[in-house]
Amino acid sequence: MAEKKVAEEYTIDDLPGVGEATAEKLREAGYDNMMTLAVASPRDLAEVTGIGEGAAAKIIAAARKYADVGNFETGEQILERRKEIQKLTTGSKALDDLLGGGLETQAITEFYGEFGSGKTQVMHQLAVNATMPKDKGGFDTDVLILDTENTFRPERIVQMANFRGADPDETLKRIHVARAYNSHHQILLAEKAADETKEYQARLMIVDSLTSHFRAEYMGRGSLAERQQLLNRHMHTLLKYSTVSNAVIAVTNQVSARPDVFFGDPTAPIGGNIVGHTATFRVYLRKSKAGKRIARLVDSPHLPEGEVVVQISEDGICDVQNA
Ligand code: GTP
Ligand code: MG
């Protein structure tokens, strides 16, 4: 007897009214799961698929039956969940203090800044720190890294682990890295993170960089809406993982140094409101002298804005020593 499929096992091809050609057009436009269809507008769907708005509305209605749109929770349940929030050390006491004790679980923290500002270094340090025991500011957990720019360097992990007194081989074993080849691949990898972590716990997920593929693939004003829609979906996948797994999500973002392409403030992070509204904490990194970096907390819901200076060296991210 064939087993009945559970809701998550249905794909958009299972929806009534979605033939092969329509499914392909939907996927091309980014509507490749029940959730994106469930929240789509009939007009938008009609436009990308060429089917009538009435037929599009029927597809949307069907998708809503399968989509995991989430549930209401009582304030009490939310309070209980928030009691579980933990903080991951950055390696710098000054930066931890600026963040109210470290990077929070159940939230997304974004580090943005220009090339060479130290974003990838901070991500490596966080990965090492997360594997460390709780009394050293870690979570004693495995780590997921979505590497979009091929900048993960195990050699750096070894250096940083050695400095912190951790076993480099054990540390490397707990860091799981996936290369994301394009934005859709990146989105998919994030969606699979929950499956990936069935065998082990990963209470830190890193996306370095959050926006580089989106930026490269969706150039110019014409494709901005589509880019923002996909980025929004990706951010919500990450946020969901952070709450379900009580995990820290750390992402990097470049600044829009090419105003001809990204329109506006050259020191503004890519992704605009979508990233800004979903990231709970935003830290702006700037280069300074002699391996120092200035970290500025921007837009936090409950912490004052402020700046601290950290040191990047072979040992990783540390406080500046005032010798
Ligand atoms: P993009 O990804 O290009 O936007 O830059 P990023 O912000 O990720 O910069 P990244 O973290 O790669 O920073 C690179 C910089 O970190 C280098 O220019 C060095 O200044 C510093 N750095 C990296 N590794 C070491 C190291 O082993 N020792 C020291 N002293 N500095 C290092
Ligand atoms: Mg980088």
Side-chain angles (χ1 to χ4, degrees), residues 120 149 151 208:
T120 296
E149 300 182 310
T151 51
D208 184 13

Side-chain angles (χ1 to χ4, degrees), residues 114-121 149 156 254 293 313-314:
E114 60 175 23
F115 67 93
S117 58
K119 304 178 294 290
T120 296
Q121 297 305 310
E149 300 182 310
R156 281 299 276 150
Q254 278 207 323
R293 297 292 189 279
S313 72
E314 192 178 312

Side-chain angles (χ1 to χ4, degrees), residues 187 190-191 232-242:
I187 287 170
E191 285 170 359
N232 185 33
R233 172 174 148 202
H234 185 44
M235 292 293 282
H236 280 93
T237 304
L238 297 173
L239 202 54
K240 184 169 175 189
Y241 184 87
S242 81

Side-chain angles (χ1 to χ4, degrees), residues 45-159:
L45 277 202
E47 213 164 86
V48 298
T49 56
I51 58 174
E53 277 190 37
K58 280 187 190 147
I59 292 174
I60 291 167
R64 286 184 177 170
K65 296 195 182 122
Y66 295 104
D68 176 11
V69 291
N71 299 309
F72 286 92
E73 285 180 291
T74 63
E76 191 187 19
Q77 285 169 320
I78 295 170
L79 184 67
E80 276 309 307
R81 180 153 44 72
R82 289 193 57 82
K83 278 186 193 154
E84 306 290 313
I85 289 177
Q86 287 174 294
K87 296 182 182 182
L88 175 64
T89 184
T90 60
S92 153
K93 174 84 169 56
L95 183 52
D96 287 353
D97 289 347
L98 183 73
L99 293 167
L103 272 71
E104 278 190 7
T105 60
Q106 303 181 29
I108 299 174
T109 301
E110 174 197 2
F111 288 84
Y112 72 95
E114 60 175 23
F115 67 93
S117 58
K119 304 178 294 290
T120 296
Q121 297 305 310
V122 171
M123 297 304 115
H124 281 71
Q125 186 69 62
L126 290 171
V128 170
N129 295 351
T131 65
M132 308 267 298
K134 297 203 168 79
D135 61 9
K136 291 195 169 165
F139 291 168
D140 190 13
T141 176
D142 284 30
V143 176
L144 298 178
I145 300 183
L146 303 193
D147 181 8
T148 74
E149 300 182 310
N150 202 15
T151 51
F152 175 75
R153 293 290 175 276
E155 298 82 1
R156 281 299 276 150
I157 298 292
V158 169
Q159 288 175 329

Side-chain angles (χ1 to χ4, degrees), residues 16-297:
V18 178
E20 229 171 89
T22 306
E24 197 180 319
K25 283 181 193 151
L26 287 172
R27 287 205 167 89
E28 274 169 16
Y31 297 101
D32 57 1
N33 64 30
M34 297 298 189
M35 186 62 190
T36 46
L37 279 176
V39 298
S41 83
R43 181 182 297 181
D44 288 349
L45 277 202
E47 213 164 86
V48 298
T49 56
I51 58 174
E53 277 190 37
K58 280 187 190 147
I59 292 174
I60 291 167
R64 286 184 177 170
K65 296 195 182 122
Y66 295 104
D68 176 11
V69 291
N71 299 309
F72 286 92
E73 285 180 291
T74 63
E76 191 187 19
Q77 285 169 320
I78 295 170
L79 184 67
E80 276 309 307
R81 180 153 44 72
R82 289 193 57 82
K83 278 186 193 154
E84 306 290 313
I85 289 177
Q86 287 174 294
K87 296 182 182 182
L88 175 64
T89 184
T90 60
S92 153
K93 174 84 169 56
L95 183 52
D96 287 353
D97 289 347
L98 183 73
L99 293 167
L103 272 71
E104 278 190 7
T105 60
Q106 303 181 29
I108 299 174
T109 301
E110 174 197 2
F111 288 84
Y112 72 95
E114 60 175 23
F115 67 93
S117 58
K119 304 178 294 290
T120 296
Q121 297 305 310
V122 171
M123 297 304 115
H124 281 71
Q125 186 69 62
L126 290 171
V128 170
N129 295 351
T131 65
M132 308 267 298
K134 297 203 168 79
D135 61 9
K136 291 195 169 165
F139 291 168
D140 190 13
T141 176
D142 284 30
V143 176
L144 298 178
I145 300 183
L146 303 193
D147 181 8
T148 74
E149 300 182 310
N150 202 15
T151 51
F152 175 75
R153 293 290 175 276
E155 298 82 1
R156 281 299 276 150
I157 298 292
V158 169
Q159 288 175 329
M160 292 177 182
N162 276 330
F163 179 71
R164 307 261 150 192
D167 181 326
D169 294 330
E170 289 307 313
T171 307
L172 284 171
K173 274 186 202 152
R174 302 188 80 175
I175 300 176
H176 309 257
V177 186
R179 271 301 302 282
Y181 294 100
N182 57 43
S183 63
H184 279 90
H185 189 203
Q186 180 180 336
I187 287 170
L188 202 61
L189 284 167
E191 285 170 359
K192 297 276 174 228
D195 280 345
E196 164 71 20
T197 51
K198 276 193 178 124
E199 305 290 318
Y200 59 89
Q201 207 188 32
R203 300 200 32 243
L204 168 63
M205 173 152 45
I206 287 168
V207 187
D208 184 13
S209 127
L210 176 72
T211 46
S212 58
H213 284 317
F214 292 90
R215 176 188 212 182
E217 292 164 28
Y218 300 90
M219 303 279 263
R221 267 188 210 280
S223 53
L224 202 62
E226 194 184 337
R227 183 185 92 183
Q228 293 303 79
Q229 187 209 335
L230 288 175
L231 203 46
N232 185 33
R233 172 174 148 202
H234 185 44
M235 292 293 282
H236 280 93
T237 304
L238 297 173
L239 202 54
K240 184 169 175 189
Y241 184 87
S242 81
T243 45
V244 171
S245 305
N246 194 24
V248 166
I249 308 286
V251 304
T252 68
N253 195 356
Q254 278 207 323
V255 291
S256 46
R258 289 185 57 193
D260 56 319
V261 179
F262 291 105
F263 318 107
D265 181 356
T267 67
I270 313 279
N273 291 339
I274 296 291
V275 177
H277 289 160
T278 324
T280 316
F281 302 94
R282 315 192 90 179
V283 180
Y284 179 37
L285 288 176
R286 287 194 328 274
K287 282 184 238 181
S288 180
K289 283 175 220 150
K292 294 188 181 61
R293 297 292 189 279
I294 301 160
R296 176 172 191 82
L297 180 66

